[in-house]
Amino acid sequence: MMKTRLFLLSLLVTAVYSTGNAQQVYDKKDCIATGLERNYSLLVSRNSEAIAENNYTIGNAGYLPTLDLSGRHNGTLNDLRTNVGDTSSTITRNIHNTTSSGSLSLGLTIFDGFSVTTTYRKLGELKKIGTLNTQLAIENLVADIVAGYYNYIQQVRLLNNLKYAVSLSKERLRIDEDRYFLGSSSKLQVLQSKVYLNADSSRLSKQYETVHAAQIRLNELMAVDDLNGQFVTRDTTIDVNQQILYEKLLEETLANNTSLQIASANKTISEYDYKLAKSRSYPYLTASSGYNYNFNTFSNSTNTNQQTNGLSYGLTLGVNLFDGFNQRRSINNSSIELQSKELRYKEMEQGVKADLITIYSAYSNFLRLIELEKQNLQTATENLTIAMERYKLGNLSGIDLREVQKSLLDARESLLSVQYQTKLSEISLNLIAGRIMDYYK
């Protein structure tokens, strides 16, 4: 009964996770595929991309003519008073005249300072940016999912580590209880062992909640319907790619980084805006044609009605001579904006390079730390084996054994932490270099 009370909390939490819905088995590809299909933020980005694609048409640029059909009917109802000399007058009441008209108008811009061509190219760049924004959203989502996937693995392994700590504390309590019953140990030692066991059990219970939170976070990224759904991962360890080369990363980053591509496209759009501002300096030529129909009725006239219909056409050639220096101001502002976009691109490129250097330096250091932590773990494992034997023989104090146990558990946690930090660095490097989708292959 005493041992049952000691482990009651951890057993209850374990029961929650071991019952309920059947657990699914996920691997990285499963998680990424589900997220790419269902994630809400990504769906919004795809909608924005669809709008930019819809806007990329020759009609929106101004290549196509415009055709308008209109009709109108109006009338007047008047009284007419006519004075003849100074003595007589005539009054005609309710004079009702009507006018009905219809027209079909065709308009076409023949030349407008190359603005139509420039606008079409600008729309193409906006479409490209829409695609790149979706690509950036996909890459960030994949990076978050992969990081969440390995965070879940890390938390599960930490959970197993704490289970191992509880098993060690249980074994120590058993040894101390046996000694106490044999009269070779004091009750104080038994009570101290129970304190350590309770502490380890409490940490284990808290870690169950941490694992649960990691599950919920991954479910949220995948946008599954049941955020509380249980699953297990096919991978059980954090595999680290130790073959990433900086020179190749830098080359791929400058060629494939999505943020740099977006900055480059924005710079190109500023170039088109500058050309559009200058296009107002050119003459413009437009053509128009139409068909017009008019029908008039008269209630107080020798003519009861009149009908006219026919074609109209025309060419308009013009040039802006002066507009209050607004055109010059627009050109100057466009030139300044273009310079700003070029500076922003250089700033973005510098920032990406700085991030690459910083993260790669951390990645290289983490790789070295992994080897050190592995050696430390091996030493701590051997040390615990020796300490347990000495403790059973009564040649090691309880405090010293606890320190040896803690050193082993800390070594395990430290190795897991370094492996996970290395994995995060690896994910960040692949994200910067534009090859994050390799995790989906």
Side-chain angles (χ1 to χ4, degrees):
M1 290 297 295
M2 184 178 296
K3 292 183 178 180
T4 301
R5 288 194 298 269
L6 291 174
F7 299 114
L8 179 60
L9 182 59
S10 62
L11 289 176
L12 287 174
V13 176
T14 304
V16 171
Y17 287 94
S18 61
T19 60
N21 297 331
Q23 291 184 337
Q24 292 181 305
V25 179
Y26 283 156
D27 60 15
K28 288 193 299 290
K29 291 183 179 180
D30 294 330
C31 296
I32 294 172
T34 304
L36 292 180
E37 180 183 355
R38 301 172 62 96
N39 184 269
Y40 298 115
S41 297
L42 183 55
L43 293 177
V44 172
S45 296
R46 284 175 172 158
N47 286 339
S48 299
E49 179 187 4
I51 292 174
E53 185 174 357
N54 291 337
N55 289 334
Y56 183 48
T57 64
I58 58 176
N60 195 24
Y63 274 112
L64 299 180
T66 59
L67 183 64
D68 296 319
L69 176 64
S70 63
R72 178 179 175 82
H73 177 80
N74 62 288
T76 60
L77 185 63
N78 299 312
D79 293 337
L80 176 63
R81 179 188 180 99
T82 303
N83 296 319
V84 181
D86 296 331
T87 60
S88 64
S89 63
T90 60
I91 298 176
T92 305
R93 300 185 182 279
N94 298 325
I95 301 173
H96 187 203
N97 297 331
T98 65
T99 300
S100 299
S101 63
S103 65
L104 184 66
S105 303
L106 178 68
L108 177 65
T109 300
I110 299 176
F111 180 75
D112 194 17
F114 307 104
S115 65
V116 174
T117 302
T118 304
T119 299
Y120 186 66
R121 292 175 179 173
K122 178 182 176 179
L123 291 174
E125 285 298 315
L126 289 173
K127 175 179 176 293
K128 179 181 178 181
I129 288 180
T131 302
L132 289 173
N133 283 331
T134 300
Q135 178 179 324
L136 183 62
I138 290 174
E139 291 176 349
N140 289 331
L141 176 62
V142 171
D144 289 341
I145 289 176
V146 175
Y149 180 83
Y150 282 105
N151 177 54
Y152 174 75
I153 293 176
Q154 175 192 221
Q155 299 305 328
V156 170
R157 295 200 65 183
L158 289 173
L159 179 69
N160 294 333
N161 191 38
L162 290 174
K163 288 180 179 179
Y164 179 66
V166 170
S167 68
L168 290 178
S169 296
K170 288 173 62 178
E171 176 63 15
R172 173 177 174 173
L173 177 60
R174 184 192 66 79
I175 294 173
D176 289 338
E177 286 179 338
D178 289 345
R179 285 179 177 176
Y180 175 70
F181 291 137
L182 294 174
S184 60
S185 178
S186 65
K187 188 174 182 180
L188 178 63
Q189 192 68 30
V190 174
L191 294 176
Q192 186 62 50
S193 296
K194 290 180 180 179
V195 170
Y196 290 147
L197 179 57
N198 285 332
D200 292 338
S201 299
S202 177
R203 291 184 61 195
L204 177 62
S205 298
K206 292 177 182 179
Q207 185 59 28
Y208 272 113
E209 288 304 318
T210 304
V211 171
H212 191 206
Q215 278 188 329
I216 294 174
R217 174 56 180 162
L218 192 54
N219 283 331
E220 180 186 7
L221 290 171
M222 294 188 293
V224 298
D225 295 330
D226 184 11
L227 293 177
N228 200 37
Q230 305 297 310
F231 62 84
V232 294
T233 56
R234 195 176 304 278
D235 298 304
T236 57
T237 59
I238 301 177
D239 58 311
V240 177
N241 182 3
Q242 302 186 14
Q243 306 300 323
I244 299 179
L245 301 177
Y246 175 78
E247 291 75 14
K248 187 176 181 180
L249 272 179
L250 178 60
E251 179 182 350
E252 293 181 355
T253 297
L254 296 178
N256 302 324
N257 182 270
T258 305
S259 296
L260 285 180
Q261 293 182 52
I262 293 175
S264 177
N266 282 325
K267 184 175 66 172
T268 303
I269 288 177
S270 293
E271 294 174 356
Y272 289 142
D273 287 337
Y274 177 74
K275 291 180 180 179
L276 287 173
K278 292 194 67 176
S279 68
R280 295 172 55 191
S281 304
Y282 291 88
Y284 59 87
L285 178 63
T286 61
S288 62
S289 178
Y291 178 83
N292 300 298
Y293 171 83
N294 287 278
F295 183 79
N296 301 315
T297 64
F298 312 100
S299 63
N300 186 31
S301 174
T302 56
N303 299 320
T304 58
N305 61 69
Q306 180 180 343
Q307 175 181 312
T308 60
N309 60 280
L311 296 173
S312 64
Y313 61 90
L315 289 174
T316 301
L317 177 64
V319 63
N320 179 265
L321 298 179
F322 181 74
D323 64 349
F325 304 109
N326 287 322
Q327 182 178 334
R328 180 185 299 178
R329 175 183 55 80
S330 179
I331 293 174
N332 289 337
N333 288 342
S334 298
S335 177
I336 295 172
E337 183 64 25
L338 177 58
Q339 294 176 10
S340 297
K341 291 295 177 62
E342 291 175 345
L343 293 174
R344 288 172 185 169
Y345 178 82
K346 292 180 180 179
E347 181 184 26
M348 176 73 70
E349 185 180 50
Q350 188 179 52
V352 168
K353 288 181 178 178
D355 290 342
L356 185 66
I357 294 173
T358 302
I359 297 174
Y360 189 83
S361 176
Y363 164 79
S364 301
N365 187 52
F366 284 139
L367 288 180
R368 291 189 291 269
L369 287 177
I370 286 177
E371 298 304 318
L372 292 176
E373 294 296 342
K374 285 181 178 179
Q375 296 175 13
N376 189 36
L377 177 59
Q378 182 179 359
T379 302
T381 302
E382 294 176 357
N383 196 20
L384 178 64
T385 301
I386 297 173
M388 287 297 293
E389 293 298 325
R390 292 185 59 192
Y391 188 75
K392 291 177 182 179
L393 297 174
N395 296 329
L396 188 69
S397 67
I399 295 178
D400 290 336
L401 177 61
R402 181 66 178 181
E403 286 300 318
V404 173
Q405 291 176 345
K406 187 175 183 301
S407 296
L408 175 59
L409 299 175
D410 289 345
R412 286 186 169 187
E413 291 185 4
S414 181
L415 177 58
L416 277 173
S417 177
V418 172
Q419 287 175 333
Y420 180 62
Q421 293 300 321
T422 308
K423 194 64 181 182
L424 290 181
S425 300
E426 174 195 316
I427 294 170
S428 298
L429 291 174
N430 286 328
L431 179 62
I432 293 175
R435 60 185 190 188
I436 193 69
M437 296 307 293
D438 288 350
Y439 290 109
Y440 192 43
K441 294 179 179 178

